[in-house]
Amino acid sequence: MASLRIPRRCRPLGAVALAALLLPACLPVSHPPEPAPPVDSSARAIVQGTDAPGDAAAVALVARRTRCGGEPPVLLCSGALIAPDVVLTAAHCLAVFGEAGPYEVFLGQTLLPEPGGRFVRVTRAVSHPGHVPATHAYDAALLRLATPVNDVPPFRLPGASDAPVVGSAVRAVGYGDTKDAARPSGQRRQGQLQVTGVAPASFQAGPAPGMSCVGDSGGPVLG
């Protein structure tokens, strides 16, 4: 399998791409990609967060496994189920393998260390045509699933009046790093953020006290 590079450090959300405006339903959380380790290192969940057992439509994006070597799942990012066969994530999550890469999504509370849910293969990935990697504008991608997920209600798409408001509290959900040895990555968790800025193609949010971390990119932000 090709080597995979995953960023290591956590930070408050900076210029986060709006990509597709989903507040108060959901909004992709994204971070810029950075150089990192080979494929067998674990991606890291939300810092200062709690478990999110009720957010079944929040999913993990993983590199598709060969299914013959017993290798553990490699967490790339998080995502949001917005239709039975469509997942919204961040465009930069496709940077390593590209739109034609080998992807699948995981549905369940626990991805690592032992999957406690199911995997669905991704048949097509398409980045937002306006995505600008250098600025992270319109940092969104859509994933078509091989099999519809009919038993999990998807997040609803919002109307034009549902833009986030500066100062409002939002809730991020993802599978990334917690920076807590007792709370390993690969668990679906949630944390509170505060919106600090809104632009046509991006928004900014800071810890309140939660903070997104590696592996949370592309996950939903809920109002």
Side-chain angles (χ1 to χ4, degrees):
M1 184 180 291
S3 64
L4 170 65
R5 299 193 177 279
I6 303 169
R8 281 287 184 192
R9 67 176 181 270
C10 304
R11 55 182 165 258
L13 294 181
V16 181
L18 278 182
L21 184 59
L22 294 179
L23 281 171
C26 63
L27 180 73
V29 180
S30 53
H31 296 290
E34 305 168 21
V39 71
D40 58 351
S41 17
S42 58
R44 303 205 181 227
I46 289 177
V47 178
Q48 298 290 345
T50 59
D51 290 340
D55 294 295
V59 305
L61 175 63
V62 301
R64 192 185 307 158
R65 299 160 299 156
T66 61
R67 301 185 184 280
C68 60
E71 69 273 26
V74 175
L75 175 65
L76 300 175
C77 281
S78 298
L81 187 73
I82 60 171
D85 61 346
V86 178
V87 166
L88 173 64
T89 188
H92 80 259
C93 294
L94 310 181
V96 174
F97 296 120
E99 292 184 343
Y103 304 113
E104 55 189 346
V105 300
F106 170 81
L107 296 100
Q109 179 69 36
T110 303
L111 171 66
L112 299 170
E114 294 294 333
R118 55 183 156 149
F119 295 88
V120 182
R121 184 169 58 90
V122 173
T123 60
R124 187 182 181 193
V126 179
S127 298
H128 192 289
H131 177 226
V132 181
T135 64
H136 313 293
Y138 299 106
D139 190 3
L142 294 177
L143 311 175
R144 175 76 72 180
L145 304 182
T147 305
V149 178
N150 293 316
D151 58 343
V152 175
F155 290 113
R156 76 169 181 85
L157 292 173
S161 62
D162 289 327
V165 177
V166 172
S168 61
V170 292
R171 182 171 62 91
V173 183
Y175 287 80
D177 195 2
T178 65
K179 292 299 184 184
D180 180 351
R183 300 279 189 174
S185 60
Q187 313 293 314
R188 190 174 67 223
R189 291 172 60 79
Q190 61 188 341
Q192 291 293 319
L193 306 174
Q194 184 177 52
V195 177
T196 59
V198 179
S202 65
F203 80 102
Q204 295 178 324
M211 180 172 66
S212 291
C213 197
V214 178
D216 293 319
S217 292
V221 175
L222 311 173

